[in-house]
């Protein structure tokens, strides 16, 4: 038998419904944006233009991640309700790609 990896079960009823993966992704986004904005300022980029870029990057990235999830993993839900495509917090694919 090969190596086994530890499994950690998180009871979300004790964490007020919070998922550790989502928290860690959010933390990674915040830390990454902090260091990227410091770098942008250091090399002379316009701070307002940089913030606009980050906003649109996150918005388009989240929408595309949900659209991919809807089209390829939940086509039945999309067929029943085409507006499901716009419920961006109802399933994401490649969320860690942010």
């Amino acid at each position: 038998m090969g190596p086994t990896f530890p499994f950690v079960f998180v009871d979300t009823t004790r964490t007020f419904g919070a998922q550790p993966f989502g928290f860690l992704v959010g933390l990674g986004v915040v830390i990454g944006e902090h260091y990227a904005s410091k770098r942008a300022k250091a090399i002379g980029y316009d701070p307002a233009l940089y913030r606009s870029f980050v906003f649109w990057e996150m918005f388009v990235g989240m929408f595309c991640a949900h659209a991919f999830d809807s089209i390829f993993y939940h086509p039945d839900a999309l067929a029943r309700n085409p507006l499901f495509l716009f419920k961006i917090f109802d399933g994401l694919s490649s969320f860690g790609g942010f």
Side-chain angles (χ1 to χ4, degrees):
M1 191 157 100
T4 60
F5 295 99
F7 176 79
V8 178
F9 173 77
V10 177
D11 183 8
T12 57
T13 60
R14 294 176 184 252
T15 59
F16 305 104
Q19 298 287 333
F21 179 74
F23 172 75
L24 292 173
V25 168
L27 185 62
V29 167
V30 169
I31 291 171
E33 196 283 326
H34 171 74
Y35 284 107
S37 68
K38 283 178 67 172
R39 176 70 178 145
K41 184 178 178 182
I43 60 176
Y45 284 170
D46 178 20
L49 188 60
Y50 173 75
R51 282 191 300 275
S52 175
F53 169 74
V54 170
F55 169 78
W56 284 107
E57 173 192 25
M58 294 299 296
F59 178 77
V60 171
M62 187 173 286
F63 178 78
C64 289
H66 173 68
F68 186 90
D69 181 74
S70 300
I71 293 167
F72 292 102
Y73 298 135
H74 305 288
D76 54 330
L78 190 58
R80 281 193 309 271
N81 180 12
L83 293 177
F84 180 72
L85 192 61
F86 298 101
K87 296 170 87 177
I88 63 172
F89 293 109
D90 197 358
L92 294 172
S93 178
S94 302
F95 193 40
F98 279 126

